[in-house]
Structure formats: C-alpha cells, structure tokens
C-alpha cells in the first residue's frame, strides 16, 4: 500500500504598498505570525517577481503611483491567478469598493486596519483554521 505525502510550507504573503512605513509594519506583523512575506513598493516591482504559485496571498493598497492596486488585481485576474487579494486602503468610495469586488478581491479593509479583522481575512484567504492570537497584530499596528 502506498502513502502519499504532501510537503507543506508556510504561506508566503506579498505586500504591495508605496508607503514604506505601511509595508514594513505589515511585514513585521506577518513575521511575528511566522508568515514569510515579501514587500514591494509598487505593482511593477511585484510583477517582476510574480510567478503563479509563488505567493499565496497579496495585501495591497488601492491608490499607488503607476499601476494602482485595482489595476494590479485586474491584471492578475486576466492572467488567471486565483491568489486571494486583500486591499487595505483609505478610499471609502463605493465605486472603488465595487471595482475591487469585480476583480475578485477577498477583502476590502479601511485604514487604519483593525488587527483582528485583518487576521480573520488573512486566515480565510489562506484557508487556515488556527493562527496565533490576534493581539500580536494589534500590538504591532499601534506602534
């Protein structure tokens, strides 16, 4: 009788935001939760490293110089990517939220992001049932 073994790895999260402080804070939070992450200052930089399956989730801002987060999401969708996208933004416009939903966004969170809410959406996006206590997220978001 043969057994099949699935080799698993920690999910890798990509962060795309033109604000360096936001990128660093999000990456620090992910590291605390033992998630490898890779931060990019813009959509173009992310796309230079994008290979289907390399990243398990994308966290991005909506409004950035060059290609916006919405345009990035639409581009990934056209490429056939099923990678979940979580938007973190200050843009509360219903039309922007609708555009994000139409490109398949997993979540659309307002800044300042609530740590528990982000953790819940990340958990859901990655198909995980248990992650460390959300207080670690909140502690670092307040820094």
């Amino acid at each position: 009788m043969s057994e099949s073994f699935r080799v698993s790895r920690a999910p890798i999260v990509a962060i795309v935001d033109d604000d360096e402080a936001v990128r660093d804070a999000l990456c620090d939070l992910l590291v605390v939760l033992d998630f490898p992450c890779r931060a990019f200052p813009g959509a173009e930089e992310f796309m230079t490293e994008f290979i289907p399956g390399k990243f398990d989730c994308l966290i991005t801002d909506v409004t950035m110089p060059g290609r916006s987060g919405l345009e990035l999401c639409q581009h990934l969708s056209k490429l056939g990517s099923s990678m979940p996208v979580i938007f973190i933004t200050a843009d509360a416009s219903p039309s922007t939220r609708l555009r994000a939903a139409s490109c398949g966004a997993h979540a659309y969170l307002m800044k300042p992001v609530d740590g528990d809410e982000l953790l819940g959406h990340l958990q859901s996006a990655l198909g995980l049932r248990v992650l460390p206590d959300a207080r670690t997220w909140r502690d670092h978001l307040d820094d």
Side-chain angles (χ1 to χ4, degrees), residues 7 11 19 38-39 54 58 72-73 85 90-91 96 100 113 116 126 129 132 134 137 142:
V7 177
D19 185 328
R38 177 77 172 89
K54 181 175 182 176
L58 170 64
L72 174 59
C73 184
V85 178
D91 187 342
T96 304
V113 67
D116 293 333
L126 296 171
R129 285 186 284 258
W137 287 81
D142 293 337

Side-chain angles (χ1 to χ4, degrees), residues 6-132:
R6 183 172 179 232
V7 177
S8 62
R9 62 168 173 77
I12 300 173
V13 180
I15 299 168
V16 179
D17 198 305
D18 60 312
D19 185 328
E20 183 177 9
V22 171
R23 282 193 316 271
D24 290 347
L26 286 171
C27 219
D28 288 347
L29 293 173
L30 293 174
V31 167
V32 165
L33 295 174
D34 293 325
F35 286 114
C37 69
R38 177 77 172 89
F40 302 90
E44 290 80 11
E45 292 85 354
F46 170 77
M47 287 308 300
T48 63
E49 288 193 31
F50 175 75
I51 299 169
K54 181 175 182 176
F55 302 104
D56 299 290
C57 185
L58 170 64
I59 298 174
T60 185
D61 193 1
V62 170
T63 306
M64 298 181 288
R67 183 182 285 177
S68 73
L70 290 170
E71 292 167 335
L72 174 59
C73 184
Q74 291 165 344
H75 182 69
L76 290 169
S77 182
K78 286 179 186 172
L79 293 175
S81 174
S82 60
M83 176 177 54
V85 178
I86 297 174
F87 285 101
I88 297 178
T89 184
D91 187 342
S93 160
S95 63
T96 304
R97 185 181 293 267
L98 181 60
R99 285 181 60 207
S102 71
C103 79
H106 185 82
Y108 191 92
L109 309 178
M110 297 302 302
K111 290 179 181 177
V113 67
D114 175 76
D116 293 333
E117 186 177 15
L118 176 59
L119 179 61
H121 286 291
L122 185 60
Q123 228 177 340
S124 171
L126 296 171
L128 300 174
R129 285 186 284 258
V130 178
L131 286 178

